[in-house]
Each structure stands twice: as C-alpha cells, then as structure tokens.
Amino acid sequence: MAMLRPALALPFLLLLLPAAAGGLSGGRTLVFILAGQSNMSGRGGATNGTWDGIVPPECAPSERILRLSPSLRWEEAREPLHAGIDVGNVVGVGPGMPFAHAVLASEGAESVVVGLVPCAQGGTPIANWSRGTELYERMVTRARAAVAECSGRGELAGMLWFQGEADTMRRQDAELYRRRMETLVHDVRGDLGRPDLLVIQVGIATAQYNGKFLDLVREAQKAVTLPNVKYVDAMGLPIASDHTHLTMEAQVQLGNKLAKSYLETL
C-alpha cells in the first residue's frame, strides 16, 4: 500500500494548490502596479528600525489578493507587500492591501482577483524612474510578467503612484516635477501598450529630510492634466514620529481613498 500513496495523494494535492496561477477559475485578475518611494512600499509599523508585525484586518491575506513575487510569480499577498522589492529598507504596511480589499468589497467584484505588482523603492526621486533607468525597466518588466502570468485572464487596470518626497529637497527638482511626471505616464503607457492606462497619483504630505519645496511639488502634482490621471491627497493623514512616513492607520485610510478613486472610473 505504501507505494500507492504518492499516486493517490496527487489529486488531493492538486486540489490544495492556491489560485495564484493567474486568478480564480473562470474569473479575471485586475492587475495594479504599485510604484514610487517609501510611502508606497509602506513603513506602517516600521519606522523604528524593525517592523512590529502588526497586520490590521484591512490588510489580512486573501486567496483573491495576489502579489507578484521578486521571481515574477503570483503568490498569495501578505504584508509586507514590498518584501524583497524595496531593497535595503525595513518595510511594513502600505496602501496596497487595503486598496485591494476595498476593490473586492465593491459591487460586482465577486469573481474578481486583484493582482498587486509591488515596484516601489524608498528614497528615490522621480528622475530615477525615467525610461532607461533600473527602476523604470524593472517596473515595466514586472508589469508585463504579471499580465503574462494570468493565462489570458489578466487586465492591467492601473498604476498607483506615491512619490515626490525626495523631490522636495532641491528647487530644480520640484520645478521639473510636473514635466517628469507627465513624461513618465506617457512612457509607461507606451511601453505597456496601454495609451489609456489609469494612473492614480497620491499628493504627498511630507518632505524628505525636511525639504523646503513640499508645496512646489504638491502644486506640480495637481497641475498634471493628462487624461485618465487621477489625484488622491495624503495631506491630513496621520504621520509617524519620523515626520516622513504615514502610520499604519493612515495607510489603511489611503488604500481606501485609492480604491474609491479607482471605482469612480468604472
């Protein structure tokens, strides 16, 4: 009987395989790029040198929420989403998981899977995201791989962009922000073959290293006038004791704001 056990066990093991190979059977996977710097990758609960490990209910794992791993494979998403992606930094809770849960809670999303593609890297100015840079090419490669891994049932639904704190330190960077952001959107849409790709940018609430040009960057973000680019403001959300990063509670609120903005486009 012992020799029969592997064969008998195989069908049972197949039943246990997660839905991470491109979405639930018969459903579709909505793929979202998460890009920018540390407040997108998430420092909720992780601003004291280590992550406290606390996962709020809005960030709990779900078989209907996937993340693209560093090795370009779908897996069940868990906090911290940017583990292995935001290299060299301590990562915690970000807006991605609460965003995904809020999208799934919307009417008509019963058969939908949300696939999150973490790409953010802490401390990076927008110039580091221009076409041809390591971060840009990594993001485009990961986005393409994410859709390809969906077995024909994937849809690139949008890019969530939270970045700009690093551009508050020099006036020149702040003044160039609008042009650089519009170029980034144009290039991403072209390289991914989605001229109408939804982009939701988050208005920054803090400045990196007490940069003096926070207001200039915020004005530049609001001035972006490209079609299908939306704006969600982080100003007013709770800030951690480091005066730079959103708290865990703030990240949950931001995720819900981002989901509301996305759902309003449907």
Side-chain angles (χ1 to χ4, degrees):
M1 290 293 293
M3 295 182 64
L4 294 177
R5 285 175 184 168
L8 291 172
L10 183 57
F12 175 71
L13 291 173
L14 290 174
L15 290 174
L16 294 179
L17 287 175
L24 295 174
S25 177
R28 63 191 177 108
T29 301
L30 297 176
V31 176
F32 294 91
I33 301 166
L34 311 180
Q37 53 182 114
S38 55
N39 272 317
M40 175 55 80
S41 65
R43 298 293 186 268
T47 55
N48 293 316
T50 59
W51 179 43
D52 60 20
I54 297 174
V55 178
E58 298 89 347
C59 300
S62 165
E63 66 175 7
R64 295 173 61 203
I65 304 176
L66 310 178
R67 88 148 188 165
L68 194 75
S69 73
S71 59
L72 307 182
R73 300 295 182 191
W74 286 119
E75 61 187 13
E76 187 173 271
R78 295 177 180 273
E79 295 288 9
L81 269 183
H82 275 76
I85 303 295
D86 188 354
V87 180
N89 294 305
V90 176
V91 290
V93 171
M97 290 296 284
F99 166 81
H101 275 288
V103 169
L104 291 177
S106 65
E107 185 176 356
E110 293 79 7
S111 63
V112 167
V113 171
V114 172
L116 302 173
V117 185
C119 299
Q121 182 66 44
T124 51
I126 197 170
N128 287 22
W129 291 87
S130 59
R131 179 188 271 159
T133 62
E134 180 181 355
L135 290 175
Y136 179 88
E137 298 304 327
R138 181 182 72 165
M139 174 177 65
V140 170
T141 296
R142 287 177 58 77
R144 288 171 175 160
V147 175
E149 283 288 303
C150 290
S151 303
R153 298 195 303 271
E155 172 192 343
L156 186 57
M159 179 172 81
L160 310 184
W161 176 259
F162 192 173
Q163 188 280 333
E165 296 92 341
D167 293 279
T168 64
M169 295 185 288
R170 297 198 314 160
R171 176 179 289 276
Q172 180 182 14
D173 290 330
E175 291 176 344
L176 288 172
Y177 194 89
R178 175 183 176 181
R179 189 177 76 188
R180 287 171 170 170
M181 182 63 190
E182 292 180 344
T183 299
L184 173 64
V185 172
H186 177 270
D187 289 344
V188 168
R189 286 172 169 175
D191 289 339
L192 295 178
R194 285 291 310 277
D196 60 343
L197 179 67
L198 171 67
V199 175
I200 306 177
Q201 62 165 341
V202 179
I204 60 172
T206 60
Q208 189 167 311
Y209 301 126
N210 297 313
K212 298 178 180 179
F213 304 107
L214 171 63
D215 290 340
L216 274 181
V217 174
R218 283 178 51 82
E219 290 169 10
Q221 291 177 316
K222 294 175 184 177
V224 173
T225 57
L226 295 176
N228 219 25
V229 174
K230 308 301 179 184
Y231 178 86
V232 168
D233 206 341
M235 186 64 76
L237 295 178
I239 304 299
S241 58
D242 66 358
H243 307 295
T244 302
H245 296 105
L246 300 187
T247 65
M248 180 178 66
E249 295 79 8
Q251 290 286 15
V252 171
Q253 293 177 50
L254 177 61
N256 287 326
K257 282 189 168 190
L258 287 164
K260 182 175 183 290
S261 180
Y262 165 69
L263 293 170
E264 286 174 349
T265 68
L266 303 181

